[in-house]
Amino acid sequence: KKKMMKRKALSPSKRWLVLLCASISIFGCYVSFDCYSAVQIQLEDKAGLSEKDIGILYSIYNIPNTFMVIFGGIIFDKLGPQRSTILFSSLVFLGSLLASISLSYSTFLSPFFLLLLGRFIFAVGCESVYIAYDSVVALFWEGSNLGLAMGITGTSGQIATVVSYIILPLIADAYSVSLSLWVGSAFAGFAVFVSALALTSIISGTTTPDTPILEPDRILPRIRDRQSSYDITPYISSFYGFLDTEFKKFSRDLTSFSGDYWFAMSTSVLYYSTVYTFLAFSPRYLHDLYGISQDRVGFIVSILSCMGIFL
């Protein structure tokens, strides 16, 4: 049987450092996410991407996250805060790096394919990073200004959107589109990874749920009397048994949610499907319809995020 261990409380200064790491990571994820929309006009005019290509970039982000968000939560529960944040942040950094390389260096892969690959890897890690950091903040700020802590992390994301739409077009016009992507994507991904390392160091002295995703004694039982050391059938059957158990637990949890939860989730779906879609394509829309320059478009689009900062 597992022994229940009480988690040590962090000092106020360390709790604020945890919040700082979470805010920096969310800031970096938002900058990386928004950078392609922020320099959409330059990508089409200078890098040869079409409006359809920009749409594919955002679609490839959402495809894995139709299911990865759920699995990201399960992985966080199994791995614990330290290892899960390192894992997800590594994917964010790797995806951002590949996406930035795609338009800067020649490889044996086509630039757009490498861009899509980087965006896909980034997507797998990015939404899970949000889950991990929200969970970490809730874990160490529970019962102590948790609403304020969540508001600060949410504000960091809105600030990142403002920075993306205002600063990155200026860099793209003054220097190059590839440099703006390196600043907005690779650097931001690096900030996410460094923040994850710092967070792991801060909370390493506390006792937290940090068990492996596959517990060897339960998932991969010891098989002493097998005829061949290469016989993996028992391991496969045990793994499928584990998945079946987790799926049943997940199905049971879904039915336990109240109507208020499903109403809030539906509101979130409507918000993402309207507001975020508008933000993704608004630079080209405002530029073509009203003839507004890219730098001014950035200021206009960022108004929505500026309102979010204060509200």
Side-chain angles (χ1 to χ4, degrees), residues 16-72:
W16 280 102
L17 285 176
V18 167
L19 185 60
L20 177 63
C21 290
S23 299
I24 291 175
S25 290
I26 292 175
F27 179 92
C29 286
Y30 268 74
V31 171
S32 295
F33 176 82
D34 290 323
C35 65
Y36 301 100
S37 176
V39 294
Q40 178 183 353
I41 295 176
Q42 288 90 338
L43 282 173
E44 294 178 10
D45 295 344
K46 299 179 181 180
L49 297 184
S50 65
E51 195 167 350
K52 178 182 177 181
D53 294 335
I54 301 297
I56 293 175
L57 282 177
Y58 279 90
S59 296
I60 203 70
Y61 178 92
N62 292 312
I63 288 173
N65 285 315
T66 55
F67 58 87
M68 188 59 205
V69 174
I70 296 174
F71 285 105

Side-chain angles (χ1 to χ4, degrees), residues 80-281:
Q82 291 100 320
R83 282 177 284 186
S84 60
T85 51
I86 291 293
L87 172 63
F88 299 143
S89 299
S90 299
L91 291 174
V92 168
F93 178 45
L94 176 61
S96 301
L97 187 63
L98 287 176
S100 299
I101 289 174
S102 65
L103 298 180
S104 302
Y105 302 99
S106 299
T107 64
F108 65 94
L109 298 174
S110 69
F112 186 64
F113 177 81
L114 191 59
L115 181 59
L116 287 179
L117 178 62
R119 186 71 167 174
F120 183 86
I121 296 174
F122 168 79
V124 171
C126 188
E127 292 296 328
S128 298
V129 161
Y130 299 151
I131 295 174
Y133 277 104
D134 284 346
S135 301
V136 167
V137 170
L139 184 66
F140 292 105
W141 281 77
E142 182 180 4
S144 177
N145 299 320
L146 178 58
L148 172 64
M150 290 296 186
I152 291 174
T153 56
T155 299
S156 66
Q158 300 302 318
I159 294 175
T161 298
V162 174
V163 170
S164 296
Y165 280 97
I166 293 178
I167 302 299
L168 295 185
L170 297 178
I171 296 176
D173 287 336
Y175 300 97
S176 65
V177 180
S178 60
L179 179 61
S180 68
L181 292 183
W182 274 103
V183 172
S185 188
F187 178 76
F190 178 73
V192 174
F193 182 67
V194 171
S195 297
L197 294 177
L199 177 73
T200 301
S201 176
I202 292 169
I203 66 178
S204 60
T206 65
T207 303
T208 54
D210 203 14
T211 55
I213 185 170
L214 299 180
E215 301 174 22
D217 292 337
R218 182 162 66 94
I219 309 306
L220 302 178
R222 298 172 183 174
I223 304 172
R224 297 182 177 88
D225 301 325
R226 59 181 181 267
Q227 296 178 351
S228 171
S229 59
Y230 298 100
D231 182 14
I232 63 172
T233 304
Y235 293 88
I236 295 176
S237 60
S238 297
F239 180 72
Y240 277 112
F242 166 75
L243 292 180
D244 182 62
T245 301
E246 291 297 320
F247 179 76
K248 289 179 179 177
K249 288 170 57 179
F250 171 70
S251 301
R252 186 171 61 251
D253 290 340
L254 279 182
T255 58
S256 66
F257 293 141
S258 65
D260 293 338
Y261 166 81
W262 291 111
F263 177 78
M265 191 191 70
S266 301
T267 303
S268 179
V269 170
L270 290 174
Y271 174 80
Y272 270 81
S273 62
T274 54
V275 176
Y276 272 76
T277 303
F278 170 75
L279 288 176
F281 296 98

